Amino acid sequence: MTPYSLAFYVNVVTTGTVLGLRPTDSPDRVTEALGSNFGDCTMCRDYGLAEFFWDRASADHPWSGHHFTLQVHRLAHRGRTLALTHDTLRARYGRFNPRLRFAKLQRLLEHRGIPLLEIPDPANAPYYRTFWQPDSQVAVSVIGTYGEYSTPDDLRVGDVYSIQAPVTADEVEWRRARVG
């Protein structure tokens, strides 16, 4: 078995879900699974490590799930317990290390036959590199090189910055077209 939080990250990248929650799930469904202890914005619920986003056409329309992001970088600078404001993830996966090394995550995924393809990240290169899992439509953002004021001081080159879903094939093609 994969130790501690690595199993969580492997599951997210493999399935494109957080504890079975899809990016398109309703706010009520996310609250049911993750609890009511969250920071609330107009279109975002911030659970510390996990953020879920919704949008809607107007106040008369229901919320529609847009995406989720795991803000892995928060574990390094805000403290592991602050970033996990609820016990749901800790109860299931145990402690979370302050940094997630991309090489370790990639090795575990490759061992399970789950490829990660590097895709262009023109807005953030060269400081960040992005890797994409086509089946689950999950993107992993990794510190590519250090840059004062461009990358966090408490992360190292090769640390995972964030994990996001979905990143569609259309978006990947759009990124590739931008870099020619």
Side-chain angles (χ1 to χ4, degrees):
M1 180 164 163
T2 304
Y4 303 119
S5 59
L6 283 172
F8 169 70
Y9 297 123
V10 166
N11 184 273
V12 170
V13 173
T14 302
T15 66
T17 67
V18 173
L19 299 177
L21 296 167
R22 297 178 315 270
T24 56
D25 282 338
S26 71
D28 290 340
R29 171 76 180 99
V30 172
T31 299
E32 178 184 308
L34 294 179
S36 59
N37 187 13
F38 56 83
D40 198 6
C41 302
T42 304
M43 298 177 287
C44 170
R45 288 199 176 159
D46 182 349
Y47 288 89
L49 179 62
E51 295 177 340
F52 280 79
F53 297 83
W54 297 271
D55 55 18
R56 62 183 175 179
S58 72
D60 299 337
H61 288 82
W63 290 104
S64 175
H66 187 268
H67 73 279
F68 69 75
T69 303
L70 297 180
Q71 301 290 0
V72 180
H73 64 95
R74 290 180 179 170
L75 294 170
H77 71 272
R78 287 180 50 190
R80 288 174 280 191
T81 55
L82 289 176
L84 299 174
T85 56
H86 52 83
D87 294 329
T88 308
L89 294 176
R90 274 193 304 249
R92 185 159 179 182
Y93 292 99
R95 69 179 180 88
F96 281 68
N97 290 328
R99 288 183 197 84
L100 172 59
R101 298 298 294 165
F102 176 70
K104 192 170 203 171
L105 176 64
Q106 186 176 38
R107 217 173 19 256
L108 288 168
L109 290 165
E110 285 175 355
H111 182 71
R112 289 163 174 77
I114 308 294
L116 288 174
L117 312 173
E118 187 163 9
I119 61 172
D121 192 353
N124 297 306
Y127 304 109
Y128 295 87
R129 296 170 64 194
T130 300
F131 297 83
W132 182 59
Q133 206 305 304
D135 295 329
S136 64
Q137 297 188 333
V138 171
V140 179
S141 177
V142 179
I143 304 295
T145 188
Y146 176 76
E148 189 175 13
Y149 309 115
S150 297
T151 58
D153 290 334
D154 46 12
L155 292 181
R156 301 179 304 231
V157 171
D159 284 343
V160 172
Y161 183 79
S162 65
I163 299 172
Q164 179 179 331
V167 174
T168 65
D170 288 343
E171 181 177 341
V172 170
E173 288 307 312
W174 177 82
R175 288 178 178 213
R176 288 180 177 147
R178 283 190 63 198
V179 297

